[in-house]
């Protein structure tokens, strides 16, 4: 097979998005749309991948930095798609073989279609092969004008005659080109059209006039949808979500209402897990099997074991949750919350950078930050780790089997020994030895008859009514 190079066009302003953010960085199912394109491109194992940037070039480059094997070329000003491809000439001038051109705003293209494009192109030896699709509503796309079976040219929506606008076969903006002679051909493109841009689509006619073959590959219309507006962004995102849901359901996950589940592309979920309506699972999250995730839960880049129950309205970010744990309703697990097997966290409990050991519980109204909590510990309602002294964050350590009574403040750094008890309402400022009882509240006094005496003192004790 001829050598393969990939160029991705991502320099355009994306005017129709009405956004300060470059179009290719808008997210589709949790990932910038260009990341979807790069992931598909990588399946061809190309010899090089070049991204053409221009509008907000620095933002696009920095969003993609850290990805191995990418080169960037800058197109400034942006004079159209042909001009964009020409800016990659310095990188590809001395290369031979096939160039596959992708568009940063067409994120759903499948690896299968890309493979078919390459095979078709390489086997026919054409100068160019265009991926097309037959669609219900071709509005906005370039139309494929054929003479007989052969593609004759591509005409843009804005330049098309009323008759041409009736054509339902559209240009996907994805092509394979023979590198030989390509850049010379692009130099002969003129900007003689309504938009005064250098159109890459003009190459079809140029090659045909040179007597070189141009081929087409017809794809499924959903995968070549381009994103030019917020509406299209929402539509394409919906398609990605639907695909993801189908994939998960086929693998044994119950999604009670696929219309209201939001599950990002890279999420992994095990069989027999049940996802209730209105759940959002984002980023690089993995969820084991036999879990149940109730409505209103949002999970971001977290690792969840098997048999875990997350009750309604929890927010879980970059946390770890062990097997058979139970969380919520209304719990907030922040970065580096680490619940071990069978741990339980209840309503209005917030954890940050805290290990909650196996079988330990914090069921009501607590803040646990920078703490290491052992196994089978009971954290009473209203327990607060006072982890911040205004300058630094300090650690609280609670050893196995300790019992922390309700309304306790643990002023860090502090350690509660194994099996110790802390009485309700205690402010713990010193370490508590294993098996000791810590109490700090003063002795309780009852003043008999206090209420009646207080009322007698008042000159007028008739209740105020409104
Ligand atoms: C383009 C095609 C159209 C096709 C459609 C498919 C042309 C002239 N038209 O139209 O036939 O149906 O894609 O989605 O090619 N870009 C640059 N530099 C530029 C201009 C654009 O890098 O100077 C990039 C954009 O960032 C985008 C891609 O090229 O990723 C396509 O540009 P866009 O303006 O969206 O073209 P369309 O009008 O959609
Ligand atoms: Ca487009």
């Amino acid at each position: 097979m001829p050598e393969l190079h990939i160029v991705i066009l991502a320099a355009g302003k994306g005017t129709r998005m009405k956004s300060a953010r470059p179009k290719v960085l808008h997210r589709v199912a949790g990932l910038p749309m260009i990341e979807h394109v790069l992931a598909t491109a990588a399946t061809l194992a190309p010899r090089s991948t070049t991204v053409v940037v221009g509008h907000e070039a620095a933002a696009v480059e920095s969003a993609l930095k850290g990805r191995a094997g990418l080169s960037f070329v800058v197109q400034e000003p942006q004079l159209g798609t042909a001009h964009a491809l020409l800016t990659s000439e310095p990188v590809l001038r001395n290369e031979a073989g096939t160039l596959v051109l992708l568009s940063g705003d067409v994120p759903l293209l499948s690896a299968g279609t890309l493979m078919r494009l390459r095979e078709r192109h390489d086997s026919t030896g054409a100068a160019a092969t265009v991926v097309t699709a037959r669609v219900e509503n071709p509005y906005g796309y370039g139309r494929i004008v054929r003479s007989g079976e052969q593609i004759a040219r591509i005409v843009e929506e804005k330049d098309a005659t009323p008759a041409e606008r009736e054509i339902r076969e559209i240009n996907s903006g994805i092509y394979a080109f023979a590198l030989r002679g390509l850049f010379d051909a692009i130099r002969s493109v003129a900007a003689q059209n309504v938009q005064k841009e250098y159109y890459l689509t003009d190459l079809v006619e140029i090659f045909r006039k040179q007597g070189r073959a141009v081929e087409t590959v017809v794809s499924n219309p959903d995968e070549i949808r381009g994103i030019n507006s917020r509406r299209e962004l929402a539509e394409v995102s919906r398609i990605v979500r639907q695909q993801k849901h189908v994939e998960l359901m086929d693998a044994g996950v119950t999604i009670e209402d696929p219309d209201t589940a939001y599950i990002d592309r890279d999420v992994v979920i095990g069989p027999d897990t049940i996802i209730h309506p209105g759940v959002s699972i984002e980023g690089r999250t993995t969820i084991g099997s036999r879990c149940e995730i109730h409505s209103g839960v949002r999970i971001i880049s977290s690792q969840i074991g098997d048999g875990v129950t997350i009750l309604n309205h929890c927010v879980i970010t970059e946390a770890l949750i062990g097997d058979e744990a139970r969380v919520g309703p209304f719990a907030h697990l922040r970065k580096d919350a680490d619940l071990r097997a069978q741990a339980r966290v209840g309503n209005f409990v917030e954890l940050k950078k805290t290990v909650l050991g196996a079988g330990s519980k914090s069921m009501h109204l607590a803040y646990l930050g920078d703490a290491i909590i052992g196994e089978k510990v009971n954290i009473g309602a209203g327990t607060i780790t006072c982890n911040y002294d205004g300058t630094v964050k300090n650690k609280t350590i609670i050893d196995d089997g300790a019992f922390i009574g309700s309304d306790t403040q643990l002023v860090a750094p502090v350690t509660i020994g194994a099996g110790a008890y802390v009485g309700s309402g205690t402010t713990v400022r010193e370490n508590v030895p294993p098996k000791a009882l810590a109490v700090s509240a003063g002795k309780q006094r009852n003043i008999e008859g206090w209420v009646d005496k207080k009322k007698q003192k008042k000159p007028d004790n008739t209740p105020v009514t409104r």
Side-chain angles (χ1 to χ4, degrees), residues 132-172 216 218 224:
T132 75
R134 296 195 177 86
V135 297
E136 280 296 305
N137 175 14
Y139 177 79
Y141 290 97
R143 309 296 205 282
I144 305 294
V145 180
R146 290 185 182 264
S147 80
E149 290 287 282
Q150 281 287 316
I151 179 170
R153 57 197 179 86
I154 298 173
V155 59
E156 291 304 298
E157 171 86 33
K158 287 184 178 143
D159 303 296
T161 63
E164 286 166 339
R165 285 187 187 149
E166 294 297 312
I167 298 172
R168 296 253 186 97
E169 188 182 8
I170 58 138
N171 171 27
S172 68
T216 54
V218 181
I224 51 87

Side-chain angles (χ1 to χ4, degrees), residues 123-411:
S123 67
T124 58
T129 307
V130 184
V131 177
T132 75
R134 296 195 177 86
V135 297
E136 280 296 305
N137 175 14
Y139 177 79
Y141 290 97
R143 309 296 205 282
I144 305 294
V145 180
R146 290 185 182 264
S147 80
E149 290 287 282
Q150 281 287 316
I151 179 170
R153 57 197 179 86
I154 298 173
V155 59
E156 291 304 298
E157 171 86 33
K158 287 184 178 143
D159 303 296
T161 63
E164 286 166 339
R165 285 187 187 149
E166 294 297 312
I167 298 172
R168 296 253 186 97
E169 188 182 8
I170 58 138
N171 171 27
S172 68
I174 290 154
Y175 322 80
F177 294 109
L179 272 165
R180 184 178 57 86
L182 173 63
F183 294 109
D184 287 334
I186 295 174
R187 267 186 281 274
S188 63
V189 170
Q192 280 164 359
N193 50 58
V194 172
Q195 305 191 82
K196 303 276 179 287
E197 281 184 12
Y198 295 90
Y199 288 170
L200 194 59
T201 44
D202 287 357
L203 281 182
V204 173
E205 214 175 348
I206 291 170
F207 285 136
R208 300 287 289 136
K209 282 187 177 148
Q210 290 175 353
R212 297 182 70 190
V214 178
E215 293 286 334
T216 54
V217 166
V218 181
S219 96
N220 145 339
D222 269 352
E223 54 177 278
I224 51 87
R225 290 178 69 138
I227 298 178
N228 300 300
S229 65
R230 305 276 180 162
R231 282 199 233 175
E232 286 166 344
L233 182 68
E235 285 162 17
V236 168
S237 297
R238 186 187 179 81
I239 293 169
V240 178
R241 283 203 305 274
Q242 280 167 347
Q243 284 171 353
K244 181 71 188 182
H245 295 162
V246 166
E247 209 178 276
L248 288 169
M249 291 189 281
D250 287 352
V253 177
T254 293
I255 300 179
E256 288 187 343
D257 180 13
D259 285 345
T260 61
Y262 292 79
I263 304 175
D264 281 353
R265 198 194 66 172
D266 293 335
V267 170
V268 176
I269 304 180
D272 282 327
T273 285
I274 300 172
I275 309 292
H276 289 241
V279 164
S280 190
I281 307 175
E282 304 169 29
R284 298 197 176 274
T285 293
T286 59
I287 297 178
S289 49
R290 294 177 290 101
C291 294
E292 189 146 5
I293 315 291
H294 289 259
S295 296
V297 169
R298 182 174 184 209
I299 302 171
I300 304 146
S301 296
S302 296
Q303 316 308 313
I304 297 176
D306 296 328
V308 171
T309 302
I310 315 274
L311 296 170
N312 306 66
H313 302 293
C314 293
V315 176
I316 298 171
T317 307
E318 294 179 56
L320 292 173
I321 301 180
D323 295 346
E324 317 291 338
R326 198 176 162 90
V327 177
F330 300 104
H332 188 189
L333 304 187
R334 293 165 54 200
K335 190 170 162 44
D336 297 328
D338 180 356
L339 270 56
R340 301 289 163 86
Q342 295 178 357
R344 291 179 62 179
V345 165
N347 38 207
F348 307 110
V349 172
E350 174 183 352
L351 263 78
K352 183 219 72 174
K353 264 197 185 172
T354 286
V355 177
L356 186 64
S360 291
K361 292 182 197 170
S362 173
M363 297 304 289
H364 331 268
L365 302 161
Y367 171 60
L368 303 171
D370 302 290
I372 298 176
I373 300 169
E375 299 185 1
K376 297 213 160 63
V377 169
N378 186 79
I379 305 281
T383 297
I384 309 278
T385 52
C386 309
N387 58 330
Y388 186 51
D389 60 12
T391 318
V392 289
K393 300 278 170 69
N394 296 300
K395 272 212 142 25
T396 300
I397 295 171
I398 303 176
D399 286 334
D400 294 351
F403 181 97
I404 311 297
S406 296
D407 190 26
T408 295
Q409 300 86 52
L410 302 162
V411 183

Side-chain angles (χ1 to χ4, degrees), residues 52 81-90 182-184 186-187 200:
V52 181
T81 46
H83 176 253
L85 181 54
L86 195 57
T87 58
S88 71
E89 189 181 21
L182 173 63
F183 294 109
D184 287 334
I186 295 174
R187 267 186 281 274
L200 194 59

